[in-house]
Amino acid sequence: QENSSTGCEGPKTTITVTVNALPVAPGATTTVDYCEGATASALTASATSGHTLVWYDTDGTTVLSSAPTPSTSTATTTAYYVAQKKTLTGCEGPKTTITVTVVPTPSAPTVSDVSYCEGDVASALTATASSGNTLVWYDENQILITTGAPTPSTSSVASTTYYVAQKTSSQCEGPKASITVTVNALPSAPSATSSIEYCKGDVASALTATASGSHTLVWYDTDGTTVLSSAPTPSTSAVGSTDYYVAQENSSTGCEGPKTTITV
């Protein structure tokens, strides 16, 4: 300093100015995905030795007291921010952005119940998933089936419920839809006179059989496979023995039972 009256200047004081380096942005997983409604964990980042983390809310300016735990109650995308501060200098570096995406839960897939007759050849169950989603199948105990859509057994009369959900590409699984598979009993063979005799040239009558309850008769030609529109009237023009066949069908289930053979 200098005395203004005398012009005399005294010794110097040294002032050292130190410009400290800023820490780098902390390391972190910059994208975090959750399924809607999932239990979230507090966000994480890695500070280097001698540094502490500084967390910011979604506005990028509000300092939080600790790492935030994102909400998963609504499907949305939210950004959080974190920086690191050097303990010795108090210098804070640039922020790392962590984007949290909450994926919406898919709806239950579209399904229909299935009915079979006992002993039918069954097909694998089907359901309709939304575009981009995959189906996840469960058995009657809601245990995951890892081999895909199940093919129900029709070996015995039963009613079994299977379950199916759909899953997004982010592995978010929605609620299950239920598919009830009903295996209906076969009717018994209809009662009929199993042997009928005519003399050659006699006037024959249409064959008869008795169906039970709400069942209807199904008549077959002599090959046993061609379904006839009604009970056949056998020909008596030639001597011989001919077999015709008749079964009964349950009108409610559409299940047809074994055939009764009528020998003319």
Side-chain angles (χ1 to χ4, degrees), residues 190 216-220 227-228 230 245-249 256 259:
T216 55
L217 294 173
V218 183
W219 288 95
Y220 290 87
V227 177
L228 302 173
S230 59
Y245 306 89
V246 61
Q248 57 180 342
E249 180 182 283
E256 183 181 315
K259 301 179 181 72

Side-chain angles (χ1 to χ4, degrees), residues 4-54:
S4 302
S5 300
T6 65
C8 294
E9 181 181 314
K12 299 179 181 73
T13 295
T14 301
I15 301 174
T16 301
V17 178
T18 302
V19 180
N20 295 294
L22 294 181
V24 297
T29 301
T30 56
T31 57
V32 178
D33 290 340
Y34 281 106
C35 300
E36 188 176 5
T39 301
S41 301
L43 299 180
T44 60
S46 299
T48 53
S49 178
H51 296 69
T52 56
L53 294 173
V54 183

Side-chain angles (χ1 to χ4, degrees), residues 109 134-138 144-145 148 163-167 173 176-177:
T134 55
L135 295 172
V136 185
W137 290 93
Y138 295 86
L144 178 66
I145 300 173
Y163 302 88
V164 60
Q166 53 179 336
K167 185 165 60 177
E173 185 175 319
K176 300 179 182 74

